[in-house]
Amino acid sequence: AKSHGAENYAIFHQTMHLQSLTRMQLEHDLSRAVWQNELRVCYQPIISLADGSLQAFEALVRWQHPTLGLLSPDQFIAIAEDSGLIIPIGAWILREACEQIHKWRNQTHLPLSMHVNLSARQLDQLDLLDSIRGILAETQLDPRGLKLEITETMVFNNLEYAAAMLRQIKGLGIQLSMDDFGTGYASLSYLHQLPVDNLKIDRSFVETIDTSGTESEIIQAVIQLAHSLNIDVVAEGVETVEQANRLKNLGCEYAQGYLFAKPMEPGQIEKVLHKNFASL
Ligand code: C2E
Ligand code: CA
Ligand code: CA
Ligand code: CA
């Protein structure tokens, strides 16, 4: 048993070593990814449950790595955050997404909006406001076409700082969306302190809708709370018709998920700009 333990330890040690090597390699590669043109932004439709119309998109980044292939954000966003690279990368994503939604708003004459994920590091960034202001000016986007997604964990550590920062962002005419709602702490108790326009119910709640009655009661309570604060609700990760119908009956305004559309390249989105998703 003793030698087994030592062996396991050696294997564990090797794996750790490999992991940190890979991490260092990825961090190094990531620092060049933007100017090597390896990052791509995909867009996932957000639709109105009332009439199936297209309302918005969420910008979701991918990395076409030269040797490792297509990497999902879960494989590199944390590295970008820890290394600080999320600052230039986040600015690049925001610029891409703003440019794109400006184009689609002009093409369709619809009040479409773009959700862009903000990371904790970006919220702490001193010149975040200047950076956003600059991107809006550069892309000529009407700020009403932009919604920044924040998470509970980002604001929880320093509620007062976050609330002040968020009010300044809102001062630019941009809207705010609370992402992954329900997965953080004490969400219900401080939602009213934050200038949030929109709330996204996390996929983990939506998943259980068709099986568990208790979960839909939680969702119902969240929707009621949001509405009482004048906040509208997006359900994320909607995969079945039953989930969509239940959410609609509970008063949820919007939905996003594989049932309607996966994240797509801009060229594919252009084919669904006038599509109605109600018949699904
Ligand atoms: P998120 O913000 O919660 O984004 C939603 C994730 O759920 C996306 O994964 C999306 O592809 C996936 N999804 C959408 N509909 C469904 C569905 O019906 N079923 C299932 N199973 N999944 C669905 P993705 O693109 O892999 O992104 C993962 C996470 O990476 C995001 O979670 C977000 O936290 C982060 N992320 C993505 N893009 C960015 C970005 O540009 N900046 C930052 N800071 N984070 C990003
Ligand atoms: Ca998000
Ligand atoms: Ca989310
Ligand atoms: Ca989520």
Side-chain angles (χ1 to χ4, degrees), residues 22 33 117 130 177 251 271:
T22 313
N117 292 286
D130 284 341
S177 174
K271 295 179 196 156

Side-chain angles (χ1 to χ4, degrees), residues 58-60 115-117 149 151 179-180 200 236 256:
E58 179 173 4
L60 295 159
H115 289 237
V116 180
N117 292 286
E149 293 195 359
T151 61
D179 199 5
D180 299 340
K200 296 181 86 172
E236 59 175 32
Q256 172 182 4

Side-chain angles (χ1 to χ4, degrees), residues 39-264:
L39 297 181
R40 303 262 173 282
V41 186
C42 284
Y43 301 93
Q44 186 176 31
I46 295 173
I47 64 103
S48 158
L49 283 169
D51 63 7
S53 62
L54 182 63
Q55 294 289 319
F57 302 95
E58 179 173 4
L60 295 159
V61 69
R62 275 97 185 83
W63 180 12
Q64 186 65 56
H65 187 280
T67 55
L68 299 172
L70 193 66
L71 301 182
S72 77
D74 290 329
Q75 294 169 286
F76 65 88
I77 287 290
I79 297 175
E81 284 176 347
D82 294 346
S83 61
L85 284 167
I86 194 67
I87 302 294
I89 289 174
W92 180 84
I93 294 166
L94 184 61
R95 192 175 302 111
E96 281 289 305
C98 287
E99 205 171 276
Q100 194 58 78
I101 196 63
H102 179 59
K103 192 175 147 202
W104 288 336
R105 283 165 67 96
N106 281 347
Q107 264 176 32
T108 61
H109 301 288
L110 294 170
L112 299 169
S113 63
M114 181 65 78
H115 289 237
V116 180
N117 292 286
L118 207 63
S119 91
R121 277 298 273 271
Q122 286 174 285
L123 197 65
D124 290 338
Q125 183 195 349
L126 286 172
D127 62 350
L128 176 66
L129 277 177
D130 284 341
S131 168
I132 298 173
R133 214 182 272 120
I135 290 167
L136 286 174
E138 226 177 285
T139 58
Q140 305 268 294
L141 175 66
D142 180 338
R144 287 173 296 183
L146 178 62
K147 286 194 174 70
L148 292 178
E149 293 195 359
I150 53 165
T151 61
E152 301 167 69
T153 36
M154 276 166 65
V155 296
F156 183 72
N157 290 329
N158 194 343
L159 193 59
E160 264 169 50
Y161 169 81
M165 193 66 200
L166 296 177
R167 275 193 298 273
Q168 292 192 56
I169 294 178
K170 284 221 51 171
L172 299 175
I174 293 168
Q175 299 211 326
L176 292 171
S177 174
M178 179 62 85
D179 199 5
D180 299 340
F181 193 77
T183 59
Y185 320 83
S187 334
L188 301 173
S189 62
Y190 63 74
L191 188 61
H192 70 280
Q193 297 181 46
L194 299 168
V196 166
D197 307 278
N198 180 279
L199 180 157
K200 296 181 86 172
I201 299 180
D202 191 66
R203 180 167 81 231
S204 56
F205 290 96
V206 173
E207 239 168 28
T208 57
I209 257 189
D210 16 44
T211 51
S212 155
T214 331
E215 292 295 338
S216 16
E217 274 168 31
I218 294 175
I219 293 182
Q220 188 167 12
V222 166
I223 293 172
Q224 278 170 5
L225 169 81
H227 288 171
S228 75
L229 296 170
N230 240 329
I231 294 171
D232 50 38
V233 183
V234 181
E236 59 175 32
V238 176
E239 294 183 351
T240 70
V241 176
E242 164 148 49
Q243 286 167 351
N245 286 335
R246 295 277 288 274
L247 287 159
K248 182 179 171 179
N249 291 335
L250 291 172
C252 179
E253 284 91 353
Y254 308 109
Q256 172 182 4
Y258 296 165
L259 172 64
F260 304 104
K262 294 201 166 179
M264 297 183 277

